[in-house]
Amino acid sequence: MTIPRFDDLPYDALARYFAGELADREAEALRRWMDADPERRQLVERLREVWAQARALRQSWNAEAALRRIKAMEPESARAAPSFPWALRIAAAIAILAGGLVVWHVVLGGRGKQEAPAEVATRRGQRATLRFPDGTVVVLGPASTLRYAAEVRRRPRTVDLDGEAYFTVTHDAKRPFAVRTAHGVARDLGTRFVVRAYRTDSVAAVVVAEGSVSLAAGVAGDSLVLAAGDLGRVTAGGHLATERGVSLEPYLGWTEGRLVFQRTPLREAAVQFGRWYGVDVRLGDAWLGEEQVTASFRDEPAATALGLVAVAAGLVVEERGTEFILRRRAQ
């Protein structure tokens, strides 16, 4: 039985087939192609499910542009994650076609001898949901990468994160779930928690929504235990700090499709805007970085959201394609 290679799949026909735009003769030919191989048909059905999820996001659809994007995506995917199973790469690519704040799902396990991907990554403006065999669920934030080196049947319990992710962990006292970052390690003690640890950040942050988490500075460094409502920080130098009773909204809102700021310095807000909307936000004056932002956004376009922030702060927005510049209003 020969499973089609990634670059041998009939992209145009599949896209138009899912969209209901395939002519009768072409549709019949495609069905014969699928019926010729049970695994091929199973793959197409899985892709149809992912397509339906992407369409449910109600994003605008441009078939020709989408096809160009999926074809252009293969070389980049192959270089970035050579061990990513081809079937899941295609599923992710199909889902990404919807654009914007796409949420795509990868189910790990229960598929015979197929190995888990070594890496799952999102671009700016995208999120991903991963489900591990033990029931653990990871929601990966925009511009983030999750890595692990384990076959599915071995149930990986250690992951490496560059970015932001929300973990709902199935607790196992004998095999704690660990999240390694550039600055420290968070270990589950039976919990739901968010880790924000982009490599470009000077501090890694862990916020606990339920249960508790052990946060350590490095593999063998000092550690502390965080309870629900606690915010833990660890610096590149290994310094640990805890803040009790924090508001969870700014840290968990993104998992529900909301971008939330509460007294957030504008320099930090600008970075989060960029990751969330897939745009570049710059400050026209360095002192603007100290201005604080308190706001919540869900479906607003980037220009609208930034316009509201600018009005509240007495600033103006200069738009240059996908770049937005916040400046002081002229007197």
Side-chain angles (χ1 to χ4, degrees):
M1 182 178 297
T2 302
I3 299 176
R5 296 182 305 162
F6 188 84
D7 54 355
D8 286 341
L9 286 169
Y11 299 104
D12 296 43
L14 282 173
R16 288 184 285 125
Y17 181 64
F18 294 146
E21 300 172 357
L22 201 62
D24 292 343
R25 181 179 298 179
E26 291 179 298
E28 179 59 32
L30 182 62
R31 282 191 286 269
R32 288 197 301 269
W33 176 82
M34 290 187 291
D35 291 339
D37 188 330
E39 292 190 24
R40 185 183 292 164
R41 170 167 284 281
Q42 181 183 23
L43 169 62
V44 172
E45 290 306 315
R46 291 180 65 192
L47 296 184
R48 187 201 297 274
E49 294 174 5
V50 178
W51 179 281
Q53 291 177 2
R55 293 280 288 183
L57 295 172
R58 299 178 182 177
Q59 300 286 348
S60 59
W61 173 247
N62 182 319
E64 293 184 0
L67 288 169
R68 287 195 297 270
R69 289 174 62 188
I70 190 172
K71 291 177 180 179
M73 185 178 171
E74 164 59 5
E76 178 180 339
S77 299
R79 290 192 300 268
S83 61
F84 200 110
W86 59 270
L88 290 181
R89 282 207 317 238
I90 302 167
I94 291 277
I96 290 171
L97 294 180
L101 286 174
V102 172
V103 181
W104 50 280
H105 300 264
V106 179
V107 180
L108 306 175
R111 298 286 181 180
K113 296 182 180 180
Q114 178 173 289
E115 292 186 355
E119 177 179 296
V120 176
T122 56
R123 298 179 182 179
R124 296 195 303 173
Q126 297 173 351
R127 290 173 288 149
T129 299
L130 297 88
R131 303 178 187 278
F132 286 91
D134 63 359
T136 293
V137 178
V138 182
V139 182
L140 192 62
S144 300
T145 301
L146 193 75
R147 300 182 182 90
Y148 48 97
E151 294 181 352
V152 167
R153 62 178 178 271
R154 295 180 182 175
R155 300 191 175 190
R157 298 288 291 181
T158 299
V159 299
D160 292 283
L161 175 67
D162 176 8
E164 184 169 26
Y166 176 52
F167 298 86
T168 301
V169 177
T170 298
H171 185 60
D172 184 340
K174 295 181 179 179
R175 301 172 65 240
F177 190 95
V179 182
R180 297 184 299 204
T181 74
H183 299 329
V185 180
R187 290 185 175 84
D188 133 72
L189 300 178
T191 192
R192 294 188 296 118
F193 59 101
V194 165
V195 178
R196 182 181 293 171
Y198 290 91
R199 289 189 179 275
T200 53
D201 295 342
S202 60
V203 176
V206 177
V207 177
V208 181
E210 180 182 295
S212 56
V213 171
S214 171
L215 177 61
V219 177
D222 294 335
S223 65
L224 51 81
V225 175
L226 305 172
D230 288 351
L231 164 63
R233 294 188 178 92
V234 55
T235 67
H239 177 71
L240 291 165
T242 305
E243 186 177 342
R244 310 290 184 186
V246 301
S247 172
L248 299 180
E249 281 294 288
Y251 300 95
L252 298 181
W254 67 268
T255 67
E256 300 174 351
R258 291 178 293 110
L259 182 61
V260 181
F261 301 111
Q262 286 187 0
R263 300 182 63 82
T264 304
L266 190 53
R267 68 167 60 88
E268 296 180 18
V271 173
Q272 292 184 50
F273 261 111
R275 291 168 181 158
W276 187 253
Y277 285 106
V279 298
D280 295 312
V281 181
R282 295 197 296 111
L283 304 182
D285 299 287
W287 65 268
L288 291 177
E290 300 300 325
E291 294 290 320
Q292 295 185 337
V293 178
T294 296
S296 178
F297 305 101
R298 180 182 289 275
D299 299 319
E300 295 86 350
T304 301
L306 283 168
L308 293 172
V309 170
V311 170
L315 305 175
V316 294
V317 182
E318 180 181 342
E319 183 176 351
R320 299 178 181 175
T322 59
E323 182 181 63
F324 295 84
I325 304 173
L326 292 171
R327 300 186 185 279
R328 180 171 48 188
R329 188 183 300 277
Q331 300 296 325

